[in-house]
Amino acid sequence: MDLTLHSPLTALPGVGQARAKALAKLGLSAVGDLLAYFPREYEDRTLRESIAALPLEEPVCFAAVVAEPFRTSRVRGGMELTKGRVVDATGQLSLTFFNQSYVRQALQTGQTYVFYGKVTGEGYRRQMVNPSFEREGANALTGGIFPVYPLTAGITNRFLTGLVRGALACLPQVAEPLGEDLRRQYDLAPVQAAYRDIHFPPDWQALARARRRLMFEELFCLTLGLTRIRGRRQGQQAAPFPRQDLGAFTARLPFPLTGAQRRAVEEAGADLRQPTPMNRLLQGDVGSGKTVVAAACAWFAWENGCQTALMAPTELLAQQHAKTLEGLLAGSGLVVDLLTGSMTAAQKRACRERLAAGETHLLVGTHALLSEGVDFPRLGLVITDEQHRFGVGQRAALAAKGGQGLHPHVLVMSATPIPRTLALMIYGDLDLSVLDELPPGRTPVATYLVHGDKRQRLFAFARKQVAQGRQVYVVCPAVDQEDPEGMKAAQQYGRWLQTQVFPDLRVAIVHGRQKPKDKQETMAAFAAGQVDILVSTTVIEVGVDVPNANLMIVEDADRFGLSQLHQLRGRVGRGQWQSYCVLLSDSRSETTRQRLRALTATNDGFVIAEEDLKLRGPGDFFGARQHGLPQLKLASLEGDMRLLHQAQAAARALLAQDPDLAGHPALRQRVEELFQAQGDGFN
Ligand code: ADP
Ligand code: MG
């Protein structure tokens, strides 16, 4: 039987049903999948010159002669130790194998072998334990750069490497999606060579070239797909908002707009004048004042007889927004209303009736806004806050409520400071406004990394803040003691703080497993200054705005991501007082402490997000992938800006000539595959 890219993996030697099942867990089902299953990293098993020069504690490859027969002895616990010596012109090295007595036969005295392993110990303790080895010239395990693949139970790297080698037989069947001119223009390797070299690079340069080519292809196809989505949108109709009296809006504000806010409002305003839907991402660090920009857009909608929906990810945040916006707009004639899941059926009905009657101009809410029966007679603008917490499908559902064949304009706000590169990829179909300036008069939050044994002093400090009239947050990683891994739990720790540490102060606990009503009552009490110390989980992470709180204590800070800690820190520093963020961690790991120190060094959310991204990788950045766009296998997000720009330029140029990719069937197929894998077909 001829092997093709579409053959099942069972067509390869050594793959039965059990292994096929294990491989399926890695997303591998056809032979072609193996080619696109890229190594996680590589091992440098190229030959080093001499035993004398071998580095310590670093995997290396060298050739040597077996100097004496290997001997096996039994040690405690029935373990077998097989030892011997190998030599070259520069010196000798002891080799030790555990429970591998077969090496006595395999390593023949006087013969040369190539070994791969780590040298440990110095002086007479210098040795290598359990190295891989093969006869000189075999070149199956050593003597080159070897791929290391992501694995699963039952699949070894060696086995997978063998499968990929087998799959290379199908390489001639891989069609080249990139035209020759394009490859020449951007100096890109041909597709078959790129697939071969990304698995088995002859040298590091060839590897870099292969990666660059495949990354370019990924970014190019992504851009093509996104541009087509954008093009489709441009065929859509939206209600234009020609009347825009920004002066009347700003006259209501207790402060002038920052330069960045003004710019963002103008950018959005220009989009909103168009009869095609705006699709804009408003990105700004915690406290940069996104709400006011959203309010200005809602103002424009209202001036033009349209309604606005503002969707927040949590009930708390929705309430907070409704309150803030009501405060800003009171008496203007623009009516704000709130719809959340925890309202009574009667309240919800009344809210829906006001909306349907056109009495409500700006409806703030949670997912409840998406539910059946919420009818906007004239929805002109949809704003979502913290967009990455919504699925793309939900965004679309809200947009579909436009009615009358009109699509609402869309403004997406994100407080998660997404690095620009990532934003471009994830929101490639959105225009971007950035609030890169905080309102004036903010003093940066002083941040400290502190060991748990300083807790008593910290409590005294908290007490002092409360005595001065301020309020304090204490954030724990877990809700309940029953939660795994001995993390500080809000319930028990909160109770302890209340009874043992601050019996004379007002301590309250809020966490995600409480009833929404209880949560809200506690938050409202804290906002009203009736609670001194709020012990919580990360439910307070986004949006909560209590300017009187000036101390944020995070327990077990090492349990949180940097961006998450930055969001938490953003809960303080909102008022006129000097604010503090104290990160408690007992971790002794230097990398962990180093990571946390990044927060003490900067208040810039973008710098922190970049740092986070470096440490965790883009896949993790949003936790689950909720943005609904193709997963990029290769393109890392640092340093690939140039390549992204090149890919974008190339995509634009191509689409100008061939908008439907009719003349580029292989490419068209690649783009469709990339988007279809997400169930997000783009045709
Ligand atoms: P975020 O971008 O985190 O959503 P908010 O919209 O909640 O920020 O604004 C944070 C705080 O800054 C609010 O208390 C708001 O009233 C205040 N604020 C917003 N814009 C300005 C401004 N131009 N000047 C002064 N204060 C402002
Ligand atoms: Mg906000």
Side-chain angles (χ1 to χ4, degrees):
M1 192 184 75
D2 286 342
L3 199 63
T4 75
L5 291 169
H6 304 291
S7 304
L9 291 178
T10 44
L12 292 169
V15 184
Q17 289 311 323
R19 274 183 169 148
K21 225 169 150 186
L23 289 162
K25 283 200 194 122
L26 300 174
L28 301 171
S29 57
V31 170
D33 297 339
L34 287 167
L35 292 179
Y37 193 68
F38 300 134
R40 169 165 66 78
E41 56 186 356
Y42 299 84
E43 282 176 355
D44 186 350
R45 299 188 180 194
T46 46
L47 277 182
R48 302 290 179 102
E49 305 79 74
S50 65
I51 287 184
L54 293 181
L56 200 60
E57 300 283 359
E58 187 187 304
V60 285
C61 188
F62 66 100
V65 178
V66 175
E68 61 186 22
F70 275 66
R71 288 175 203 288
T72 299
S73 56
R74 259 175 204 287
V75 291
R76 258 186 307 135
M79 180 120 62
E80 281 179 347
L81 263 184
T82 305
K83 283 176 160 263
R85 255 177 338 114
V86 296
V87 298
D88 72 2
T90 67
Q92 59 166 325
L93 187 65
S94 302
L95 303 185
T96 304
F97 295 86
F98 288 102
N99 290 338
Q100 299 181 45
S101 53
Y102 75 93
V103 304
R104 268 203 324 266
Q105 274 78 48
L107 290 172
Q108 306 268 309
T109 311
Q111 298 283 332
T112 301
Y113 299 87
V114 181
F115 300 89
Y116 177 74
K118 251 194 235 177
V119 176
T120 57
E122 284 173 279
Y124 73 96
R125 289 176 190 270
R126 188 167 184 256
Q127 64 165 346
M128 190 174 272
V129 178
N130 292 344
S132 325
F133 61 90
E134 64 185 353
R135 264 185 196 283
E136 191 179 27
N139 288 344
L141 297 177
T142 64
I145 298 167
F146 280 74
V148 180
Y149 295 98
L151 300 173
T152 185
I155 303 294
T156 64
N157 193 56
R158 201 162 161 185
F159 178 71
L160 195 52
T161 305
L163 290 187
V164 176
R165 238 185 248 284
L168 288 186
C170 296
L171 211 45
Q173 298 166 29
V174 176
E176 172 62 88
L178 306 183
E180 209 179 321
D181 290 348
L182 185 72
R183 287 204 327 266
R184 201 170 317 113
Q185 186 180 354
Y186 292 101
D187 188 28
L188 302 168
V191 68
Q192 295 179 8
Y195 274 117
R196 185 192 60 221
D197 290 353
I198 198 160
H199 292 288
F200 304 106
D203 53 51
W204 295 105
Q205 225 176 335
L207 174 61
R209 209 171 137 67
R211 281 182 60 90
R212 182 168 172 279
R213 141 77 208 215
L214 293 169
M215 257 153 57
F216 183 97
E217 184 179 314
E218 229 171 27
L219 296 172
F220 181 64
C221 291
L222 177 70
T223 311
L224 285 173
L226 291 172
T227 311
R228 292 184 56 171
I229 290 174
R230 188 193 287 258
R232 221 176 13 186
R233 209 178 49 234
Q234 261 147 18
Q236 294 170 350
Q237 305 272 307
F241 301 165
R243 277 184 294 279
Q244 298 188 4
D245 187 353
L246 182 57
F249 172 75
T250 51
R252 314 196 59 83
L253 298 179
F255 41 68
L257 294 179
T258 63
Q261 281 170 324
R262 182 165 291 275
R263 199 173 57 235
V265 169
E266 278 163 8
E267 285 165 354
D271 290 355
L272 294 172
R273 285 197 185 88
Q274 304 304 316
T276 52
M278 167 169 89
N279 208 28
R280 184 166 286 276
L281 170 64
L282 174 64
Q283 194 190 315
D285 205 350
V286 191
S288 57
K290 293 182 291 296
T291 315
V292 171
V293 177
C297 292
W299 182 270
F300 295 157
W302 170 67
E303 285 185 295
N304 292 274
C306 283
Q307 292 169 302
T308 298
L310 194 162
M311 192 156 73
T314 66
E315 231 150 285
L316 259 174
L317 200 48
Q319 284 170 340
Q320 186 121 33
H321 274 316
K323 206 174 111 207
T324 309
L325 293 165
E326 255 162 23
L328 282 180
L329 302 167
S332 67
L334 197 172
V335 177
V336 182
D337 206 353
L338 175 69
L339 180 65
T340 66
S342 70
M343 286 169 26
T344 65
Q347 287 172 324
K348 285 184 200 165
R349 193 175 338 107
C351 174
R352 284 198 304 263
E353 282 168 10
R354 287 192 296 271
L355 183 71
E359 290 163 24
T360 303
H361 304 118
L362 169 54
L363 183 61
V364 182
T366 52
H367 295 80
L369 294 192
L370 299 174
S371 49
E372 201 77 21
V374 181
D375 293 320
F376 294 81
R378 207 164 156 74
L379 181 62
L381 171 65
V382 171
I383 303 172
T384 63
D385 196 3
E386 300 295 326
Q387 130 82 15
H388 62 275
R389 290 164 191 249
F390 291 111
V392 170
Q394 289 171 329
R395 197 184 350 150
L398 198 44
K401 286 187 178 277
Q404 301 164 8
L406 291 179
H407 289 260
H409 298 282
V410 173
L411 180 71
V412 171
M413 301 194 282
S414 179
T416 306
I418 308 159
R420 194 177 159 77
T421 29
L422 189 57
L424 271 173
M425 290 191 192
I426 293 173
Y427 299 112
D429 67 326
L430 274 74
D431 296 305
L432 185 63
S433 289
V434 180
L435 296 184
D436 52 4
E437 177 188 354
L438 292 183
R442 301 270 174 86
T443 28
V445 179
T447 306
Y448 304 94
L449 175 60
V450 165
H451 207 268
D453 57 12
K454 299 268 181 2
R455 210 173 260 113
Q456 289 309 322
R457 271 169 64 186
L458 182 57
F459 291 156
F461 182 70
R463 189 174 276 287
K464 201 171 123 200
Q465 298 307 317
V466 173
Q468 288 169 2
R470 301 289 80 72
Q471 291 164 281
V472 178
Y473 294 101
V474 179
V475 175
C476 302
V479 172
D480 195 274
Q481 228 159 32
E482 312 288 288
D483 292 331
E485 294 188 78
M487 298 184 281
K488 278 260 174 331
Q491 275 182 8
Q492 285 78 13
Y493 191 58
R495 223 168 292 141
W496 179 74
L497 287 175
Q498 170 70 93
T499 56
Q500 309 296 316
V501 187
F502 303 115
D504 51 330
L505 302 184
R506 297 166 298 177
V507 179
I509 301 171
V510 66
H511 59 72
R513 280 185 224 155
Q514 286 167 336
K515 287 206 197 84
K517 196 159 162 291
D518 295 344
K519 252 188 319 201
Q520 282 148 37
E521 275 172 17
T522 310
M523 284 310 303
F526 187 69
Q530 294 155 2
V531 168
D532 300 312
I533 298 179
L534 183 67
V535 184
S536 79
T537 54
T538 52
V539 288
I540 59 147
E541 181 186 348
V542 285
V544 173
D545 188 18
V546 181
N548 189 49
N550 78 327
L551 172 58
M552 162 69 56
I553 297 173
V554 185
E555 292 280 351
D556 292 327
D558 45 280
R559 301 289 185 151
F560 300 93
L562 290 188
S563 290
Q564 203 176 13
L565 289 169
H566 179 66
Q567 293 293 325
L568 285 170
R569 172 167 65 180
R571 298 310 110 216
V572 295
R574 302 184 150 246
Q576 68 214 78
W577 300 279
Q578 171 63 54
S579 293
Y580 308 89
C581 173
V582 180
L583 308 173
L584 285 163
S585 167
D586 290 334
S587 169
R588 285 175 202 289
S589 148
E590 191 43 39
T591 23
T592 301
R593 300 196 78 83
Q594 193 77 35
R595 187 169 75 90
L596 293 174
R597 252 177 243 130
L599 277 165
T600 64
T602 179
N603 270 289
D604 185 333
F606 285 79
V607 174
I608 289 161
E610 298 276 1
E611 198 63 31
D612 226 8
L613 203 55
K614 255 188 247 162
L615 292 160
R616 294 195 294 160
D620 268 12
F621 196 79
F622 292 110
R625 283 183 42 255
Q626 291 170 341
H627 47 77
L629 286 177
Q631 173 114 45
L632 299 176
K633 287 186 181 163
L634 276 176
S636 90
L637 301 155
E638 315 130 45
D640 292 344
M641 262 321 252
R642 220 174 95 84
L643 200 63
L644 177 64
H645 285 313
Q646 289 178 341
Q648 284 173 331
R652 267 195 302 275
L654 180 67
L655 286 175
Q657 283 171 20
D658 183 7
D660 291 326
L661 303 182
H664 297 80
L667 182 59
R668 193 189 151 103
Q669 192 181 343
R670 250 312 256 141
V671 176
E672 277 166 14
E673 280 166 6
L674 190 66
F675 279 77
Q676 262 156 20
Q678 305 310 129
D680 201 17
F682 83 117
N683 272 311

